[in-house]
Amino acid sequence: MRLSPSSLLLLLLLLPPSNSFTLNLHPPALKLPSTLLKSSPEDGGSAPPPYVDARTLSSSTSSEACVFPISEIAATLPHRYPFALLDRVVSYEAGSRAVGVKCVTQNEPHFTGHFPDRPIMPGVLQVEALAQLAGVVCLNMEGAEPGSVFFFAAVDGVKWKKPVTPGDKVYMEVEITNWKARFGIAKAKGRAYVDGEEVVSVESMTFALAK
């Protein structure tokens, strides 16, 4: 017996639902990647930090002195772009020690190759930045003249603890451990920090004043 199309449609409508075939008119909800879901304290996640306006954040560093602004650093050190790695000196004891700041930005040329997909400030440049800070102290000591050139003679005991990346504000501290004015030889040690965590330390740097 042959059934007409209209008869087949009526028969399908009258048949009871089968376990082997069901028409799902409600597809499962789309699952988003966990990285796109915001966590909340209720589900065990941490709440985002509260909003703080720019004026408040800026005033938090108002007590930070500027002993050597970038113009005076340029008058003391012979380094120029792209090798000027010290932005300001914020604490200073003549002939002894200093604290300086290096603001790391994406625009620095070494980041185009180190590394294109993961920019990291080269470790040797971190040591160089410490050396430039030591140079500010040394070139203001008796027996040296601002603008003179110090050569790296030796570096020992370097340890890198964390990568330094664009956006970091690096606080560096150096101490002059020995200065022989007659021979123009200086020794120093130094450390650097980002957000209170040590990123690099140098047990000993030796410099020779160019004659």
Side-chain angles (χ1 to χ4, degrees):
M1 180 178 64
R2 299 181 64 182
L3 297 176
S4 64
S6 58
S7 299
L8 284 172
L9 178 61
L10 179 62
L11 182 61
L12 287 173
L13 293 174
L14 293 175
L15 286 174
S18 170
N19 292 332
S20 60
F21 175 78
T22 55
L23 181 61
N24 189 354
L25 298 178
H26 302 284
L30 178 64
K31 293 184 178 180
L32 296 175
S34 58
T35 54
L36 297 180
L37 299 176
K38 293 184 178 179
S39 59
S40 63
E42 290 77 10
D43 60 17
S46 58
Y51 179 83
V52 182
D53 64 88
R55 183 173 183 176
T56 301
L57 289 172
S58 176
S59 64
S60 66
T61 61
S62 60
S63 60
E64 185 178 281
C66 183
V67 184
F68 287 85
I70 198 165
S71 57
E72 291 187 27
I73 293 172
T76 304
L77 298 177
H79 305 75
R80 295 295 181 266
Y81 176 86
F83 229 66
L85 302 176
L86 179 62
D87 293 325
R88 62 167 55 183
V89 176
V90 296
S91 187
Y92 174 75
E93 285 185 6
S96 177
R97 56 185 178 174
V99 175
V101 177
K102 161 63 179 168
C103 296
V104 184
T105 73
Q106 181 70 47
N107 293 328
E108 296 175 50
H110 44 266
F111 289 130
T112 59
H114 196 278
F115 302 95
D117 298 324
R118 189 181 180 184
I120 295 175
M121 183 178 181
V124 292
L125 293 186
Q126 297 172 36
V127 176
E128 171 64 24
L130 285 166
Q132 292 183 19
L133 178 59
V136 170
V137 181
C138 290
L139 291 176
N140 283 284
M141 294 169 66
E142 184 180 352
E145 292 292 334
S148 300
V149 175
F150 264 106
F151 293 130
F152 241 135
V155 59
D156 296 293
V158 182
K159 292 182 180 179
W160 289 278
K161 310 296 180 63
K162 290 185 63 178
V164 176
T165 58
D168 285 342
K169 189 174 184 179
V170 186
Y171 281 82
M172 305 173 289
E173 183 172 16
V174 297
E175 181 180 347
I176 307 304
T177 57
N178 193 284
W179 166 237
K180 293 182 171 60
R182 180 180 177 185
F183 303 102
I185 303 293
K187 287 184 177 291
K189 61 181 179 180
R191 297 177 184 274
Y193 304 84
V194 172
D195 296 331
E197 295 188 35
E198 188 174 273
V199 293
V200 62
S201 63
V202 183
E203 291 180 4
S204 176
M205 296 179 284
T206 304
F207 311 100
L209 186 63
K211 299 295 185 180

